[in-house]
Amino acid sequence: MATSAQTLMLIIDELVKAKPLDRDEAITLLAAKGYLPKKLSEKPKMKKTSRFASKAAEEFAEAKGIVVPDGFKGTANNDKISVKDLKQLAEGPKKAKVNASPSAQQFCRDNGLDITKVKGTGADGKVLLKDVKDLKPTAKADSDENDSKRKVSSAAAKLMKQYEIDEEDIVDVEGTGTNGTVVAKDLKELIDMIKAEGTDTEPSDEEEDE
C-alpha cells in the first residue's frame, strides 16, 4: 500500500524529533503513532528450535523430571535427544559386570567382602570361590581359633572328603547336631556352591585349587 505524502512528512518529522537509536526503535516509535502498516510493525516470529527429536521425547523428559546436561548430544538426527537417550539418562551409568562365578559372588555377599578388589585366577581373570575363601573378615579370628576343631558326624566327614572340604571351610557352618555337631545337611549350601563353581569353570581351574 502506497504511503501518502502527508504521512511521509509526519514520519520524517517524528524521526527528526525523536532521533531513534536504531531501526527497531524507529519502527516501534512509528508503529505506536500508527504511521506504519500492521505487517511492517509486527516483529517476525522466531521459530523455536527444540533439543528433542520428537514431541514424545519432550513430554517424557518433562514427565520424568529429567535434566539434560549442557552439551549432551542425542543419538537422533542432528544430535537431537530421543526417548531412548532420556531413558539412559534416567537410569544413569550402568554398573560394570563383575567377572566372577556365582559361588564366589555369594560368598563375598555373605561375608561382607568387596569382590571387585579380588584378583581372579580363572579364565580371563575370573574370580573363583577359591580366590575369596581366604578373605574372610578378620574380626572373627579369635573365636575361629577357639572353635577351629569342629565336631563332625561321620556322614558329614565323608562328604567333606568327597568334595575336598577342610575344617577351615566349615568355620562359619552352623552345626545342627548334638552340641553343635556338623551333620550332612549342614553342608548342603557349601556343597551347592562348590558344584556351581565346578559347572562355571574349566577343569584346569579346579586342579589349581589343590
Side-chain angles (χ1 to χ4, degrees):
M1 181 180 71
T3 304
S4 66
Q6 184 180 1
T7 302
L8 287 173
M9 289 300 297
L10 292 172
I11 290 174
I12 292 171
D13 291 343
E14 192 65 37
L15 292 175
V16 171
K17 179 181 176 182
K19 295 182 174 60
L21 297 176
D22 52 34
R23 180 177 182 276
D24 289 341
E25 187 174 335
I27 290 176
T28 302
L29 174 67
L30 297 174
K33 296 289 184 178
Y35 295 156
L36 297 178
K38 186 176 181 181
K39 288 185 178 181
L40 184 61
S41 61
E42 287 180 346
K43 290 185 178 181
K45 294 181 179 180
M46 300 295 292
K47 186 177 181 181
K48 184 179 178 182
T49 303
S50 176
R51 301 177 65 186
F52 301 100
S54 64
K55 184 68 175 177
E58 187 173 357
E59 291 175 351
F60 183 86
E62 184 177 349
K64 299 294 183 180
I66 300 172
V67 178
V68 180
D70 292 336
F72 179 83
K73 292 184 178 181
T75 58
N77 292 336
N78 300 321
D79 297 329
K80 295 204 173 206
I81 302 166
S82 65
V83 174
K84 180 181 177 181
D85 298 325
L86 294 169
K87 287 181 178 179
Q88 290 179 347
L89 282 173
E91 292 172 359
K94 293 183 179 180
K95 294 182 179 179
K97 186 177 180 181
V98 178
N99 185 20
S101 67
S103 56
Q105 293 184 52
Q106 184 62 48
F107 184 90
C108 286
R109 285 193 292 267
D110 293 343
N111 292 278
L113 301 174
D114 185 357
I115 199 169
T116 60
K117 296 181 180 179
V118 181
K119 184 176 181 180
T121 59
D124 298 324
K126 190 169 191 175
V127 179
L128 309 177
L129 177 60
K130 65 180 182 180
D131 299 326
V132 298
K133 281 201 304 183
D134 297 330
L135 299 177
K136 297 176 185 177
T138 56
K140 298 181 180 180
D142 294 338
S143 60
D144 288 347
E145 289 179 4
N146 296 331
D147 300 330
S148 59
K149 192 67 177 178
R150 300 295 304 276
K151 293 181 181 179
V152 182
S153 69
S154 57
K158 185 177 180 180
L159 288 173
M160 289 176 64
K161 183 177 181 181
Q162 179 181 347
Y163 290 97
E164 298 180 356
I165 301 171
D166 55 34
E167 291 187 359
E168 292 180 356
D169 294 327
I170 63 171
V171 168
D172 295 326
V173 176
E174 182 179 358
T176 58
T178 305
N179 296 325
T181 299
V182 176
V183 296
K185 66 179 182 178
D186 301 330
L187 300 176
K188 183 180 183 304
E189 184 177 354
L190 181 58
I191 291 173
D192 287 344
M193 289 170 62
I194 294 173
K195 287 180 178 179
E197 179 187 353
T199 59
D200 213 56
T201 60
E202 298 178 358
S204 57
D205 297 326
E206 298 267 354
E207 293 172 2
E208 290 175 7
D209 198 29
E210 295 292 335

